[in-house]
Coordinates of all heavy atoms in Angstrom, one line a residue:
R2 N 20.9 4.0 -14.2 CA 22.1 3.3 -14.5 C 22.4 2.2 -13.5 O 22.2 2.4 -12.3 CB 23.3 4.3 -14.5 CG 23.2 5.4 -15.6 CD 24.4 6.2 -15.6 NE 24.4 6.9 -16.9 CZ 25.3 7.7 -17.3 NH1 26.4 7.8 -16.5 NH2 25.2 8.3 -18.4
A3 N 22.9 1.1 -14.0 CA 23.1 -0.1 -13.2 C 24.2 0.2 -12.2 O 24.2 -0.3 -11.1 CB 23.5 -1.2 -14.0
G4 N 25.2 1.1 -12.5 CA 26.3 1.4 -11.6 C 25.9 2.1 -10.3 O 26.5 2.0 -9.3
Q5 N 24.7 2.7 -10.3 CA 24.2 3.4 -9.1 C 23.5 2.4 -8.1 O 23.4 2.6 -7.0 CB 23.1 4.4 -9.5 CG 23.7 5.6 -10.3 CD 22.6 6.5 -10.8 OE1 21.5 6.1 -11.1 NE2 23.0 7.8 -10.9
L6 N 23.2 1.2 -8.7 CA 22.5 0.2 -7.9 C 23.5 -0.8 -7.4 O 23.8 -1.8 -7.9 CB 21.4 -0.5 -8.7 CG 20.5 0.4 -9.4 CD1 19.5 -0.4 -10.3 CD2 19.7 1.2 -8.4
R7 N 24.2 -0.5 -6.2 CA 25.3 -1.3 -5.8 C 25.0 -2.1 -4.5 O 25.9 -2.7 -4.0 CB 26.5 -0.4 -5.6 CG 26.3 0.8 -4.7 CD 27.5 1.8 -4.7 NE 27.2 3.1 -4.3 CZ 26.7 4.1 -5.0 NH1 26.6 3.9 -6.3 NH2 26.4 5.2 -4.5
N8 N 23.8 -2.0 -4.0 CA 23.5 -2.8 -2.8 C 22.5 -3.8 -3.1 O 21.4 -3.6 -3.7 CB 22.9 -1.8 -1.7 CG 23.8 -0.7 -1.4 OD1 23.5 0.5 -1.8 ND2 24.9 -0.9 -0.7
R9 N 22.7 -5.1 -2.6 CA 21.8 -6.2 -2.8 C 20.7 -6.1 -1.7 O 21.1 -6.2 -0.5 CB 22.5 -7.5 -2.8 CG 21.8 -8.6 -3.3 CD 21.6 -8.5 -4.8 NE 21.0 -9.7 -5.4 CZ 20.3 -9.7 -6.5 NH1 20.1 -8.6 -7.2 NH2 19.8 -10.8 -6.9
I10 N 19.5 -5.9 -2.1 CA 18.4 -5.7 -1.2 C 17.4 -6.8 -1.2 O 17.1 -7.3 -2.3 CB 17.6 -4.4 -1.6 CG1 18.6 -3.2 -1.7 CG2 16.5 -4.1 -0.6 CD1 19.3 -2.8 -0.5
E11 N 16.9 -7.2 0.0 CA 15.9 -8.3 0.1 C 14.7 -7.7 0.7 O 14.8 -7.0 1.7 CB 16.5 -9.4 0.9 CG 15.7 -10.7 0.8 CD 16.4 -11.9 1.5 OE1 17.0 -11.7 2.5 OE2 16.3 -12.9 0.9
F12 N 13.5 -8.0 0.1 CA 12.3 -7.5 0.7 C 11.6 -8.7 1.3 O 11.5 -9.8 0.7 CB 11.3 -7.0 -0.4 CG 11.8 -5.6 -0.9 CD1 12.7 -5.6 -2.0 CD2 11.4 -4.5 -0.4 CE1 13.2 -4.3 -2.4 CE2 11.8 -3.2 -0.8 CZ 12.7 -3.2 -1.9
L13 N 11.1 -8.5 2.6 CA 10.5 -9.6 3.3 C 9.0 -9.2 3.7 O 8.7 -8.1 3.9 CB 11.2 -9.8 4.7 CG 12.8 -10.0 4.6 CD1 13.4 -9.9 6.0 CD2 13.1 -11.2 3.9
R14 N 8.2 -10.3 3.7 CA 6.8 -10.1 4.1 C 6.5 -11.0 5.3 O 6.9 -12.2 5.2 CB 5.9 -10.3 2.9 CG 4.4 -10.2 3.3 CD 3.5 -10.3 2.1 NE 3.5 -9.1 1.4 CZ 3.5 -8.9 0.1 NH1 3.5 -10.0 -0.7 NH2 3.6 -7.8 -0.5
K15 N 5.7 -10.5 6.2 CA 5.3 -11.4 7.4 C 4.2 -12.4 6.9 O 3.2 -12.0 6.3 CB 4.8 -10.5 8.5 CG 4.6 -11.3 9.8 CD 4.3 -10.4 11.0 CE 5.6 -9.8 11.5 NZ 5.4 -9.2 12.8
T16 N 4.5 -13.6 7.1 CA 3.6 -14.7 6.7 C 3.4 -15.7 7.8 O 4.4 -16.0 8.6 CB 4.2 -15.4 5.5 OG1 4.6 -14.5 4.5 CG2 3.3 -16.5 4.9
R17 N 2.2 -16.3 7.9 CA 2.0 -17.3 8.9 C 2.5 -18.7 8.4 O 2.1 -19.1 7.3 CB 0.5 -17.4 9.2 CG 0.0 -16.4 10.2 CD -1.4 -16.6 10.5 NE -1.9 -17.0 11.8 CZ -1.5 -16.7 13.0 NH1 -0.4 -16.0 13.1 NH2 -2.1 -17.1 14.0
V18 N 3.4 -19.3 9.2 CA 3.9 -20.6 8.8 C 3.8 -21.6 10.0 O 3.7 -21.2 11.1 CB 5.4 -20.5 8.3 CG1 5.5 -19.7 7.0 CG2 6.3 -19.9 9.4
K19 N 3.8 -22.9 9.7 CA 3.8 -23.9 10.7 C 5.2 -24.1 11.2 O 6.1 -24.3 10.4 CB 3.2 -25.2 10.2 CG 1.7 -25.3 10.4 CD 1.3 -26.7 10.0 CE -0.2 -26.8 10.2 NZ -0.7 -28.2 9.9
D20 N 5.4 -24.2 12.5 CA 6.7 -24.5 13.1 C 6.8 -26.0 13.3 O 5.9 -26.8 12.9 CB 7.0 -23.8 14.4 CG 6.0 -24.1 15.5 OD1 5.2 -25.0 15.3 OD2 6.1 -23.5 16.6
A21 N 7.9 -26.5 13.8 CA 8.1 -27.9 14.0 C 7.1 -28.6 14.9 O 6.8 -29.8 14.8 CB 9.5 -28.2 14.6
A22 N 6.5 -27.8 15.8 CA 5.5 -28.4 16.7 C 4.1 -28.3 16.1 O 3.1 -28.8 16.8 CB 5.5 -27.6 18.0
G23 N 4.0 -27.8 14.9 CA 2.6 -27.8 14.3 C 1.9 -26.5 14.6 O 0.7 -26.4 14.1
Q24 N 2.5 -25.6 15.3 CA 1.8 -24.3 15.7 C 2.1 -23.3 14.6 O 3.1 -23.3 13.9 CB 2.3 -23.8 17.0 CG 2.1 -24.7 18.2 CD 0.7 -24.9 18.5 OE1 -0.1 -23.9 18.5 NE2 0.3 -26.1 18.8
Y25 N 1.1 -22.4 14.3 CA 1.3 -21.3 13.4 C 2.0 -20.2 14.1 O 1.6 -19.7 15.1 CB -0.1 -20.9 12.8 CG -0.6 -21.8 11.8 CD1 -1.6 -22.8 12.2 CD2 -0.2 -21.8 10.5 CE1 -2.1 -23.7 11.3 CE2 -0.7 -22.7 9.6 CZ -1.6 -23.6 10.0 OH -2.1 -24.5 9.0
V26 N 3.0 -19.6 13.4 CA 3.8 -18.5 13.9 C 4.0 -17.5 12.8 O 4.0 -17.9 11.6 CB 5.2 -18.9 14.5 CG1 5.0 -19.7 15.7 CG2 6.0 -19.6 13.5
D27 N 4.1 -16.2 13.1 CA 4.4 -15.2 12.1 C 5.9 -15.2 11.9 O 6.7 -15.1 12.8 CB 3.9 -13.8 12.6 CG 2.4 -13.7 12.6 OD1 1.8 -14.5 11.8 OD2 1.9 -12.9 13.3
E28 N 6.3 -15.2 10.6 CA 7.7 -15.2 10.3 C 8.0 -14.3 9.0 O 7.1 -14.2 8.1 CB 8.1 -16.6 9.9 CG 9.6 -16.9 9.8 CD 9.9 -18.4 9.6 OE1 9.7 -19.1 10.6 OE2 10.3 -18.7 8.6
W29 N 9.1 -13.6 9.0 CA 9.5 -12.8 7.8 C 10.0 -13.7 6.7 O 11.0 -14.4 6.9 CB 10.5 -11.7 8.2 CG 10.0 -10.7 9.1 CD1 10.2 -10.5 10.4 CD2 9.1 -9.6 8.7 NE1 9.5 -9.4 10.9 CE2 8.8 -8.9 9.8 CE3 8.5 -9.3 7.5 CZ2 8.0 -7.7 9.8 CZ3 7.7 -8.1 7.5 CH2 7.4 -7.4 8.6
V30 N 9.4 -13.7 5.6 CA 9.7 -14.6 4.5 C 10.2 -13.7 3.3 O 9.5 -12.8 2.9 CB 8.5 -15.4 4.1 CG1 8.8 -16.3 2.9 CG2 8.0 -16.3 5.3
P31 N 11.3 -14.1 2.7 CA 11.8 -13.4 1.5 C 10.8 -13.4 0.4 O 10.2 -14.5 0.1 CB 13.1 -14.1 1.1 CG 13.5 -14.9 2.3 CD 12.2 -15.2 3.0
V32 N 10.6 -12.2 -0.3 CA 9.6 -12.1 -1.4 C 10.3 -11.7 -2.7 O 10.1 -12.4 -3.7 CB 8.5 -11.1 -1.1 CG1 7.6 -10.9 -2.2 CG2 7.8 -11.4 0.2

Side-chain angles (χ1 to χ4, degrees):
R2 295 188 165 182
Q5 294 173 328
L6 308 176
R7 55 189 161 270
N8 303 107
R9 196 70 172 151
I10 308 295
E11 191 170 41
F12 289 89
L13 310 171
R14 176 175 282 141
K15 193 173 275 192
T16 307
R17 279 182 110 37
V18 296
K19 268 189 179 180
D20 64 5
Q24 300 294 319
Y25 285 99
V26 294
D27 290 333
E28 191 173 291
W29 290 105
V30 176
V32 178

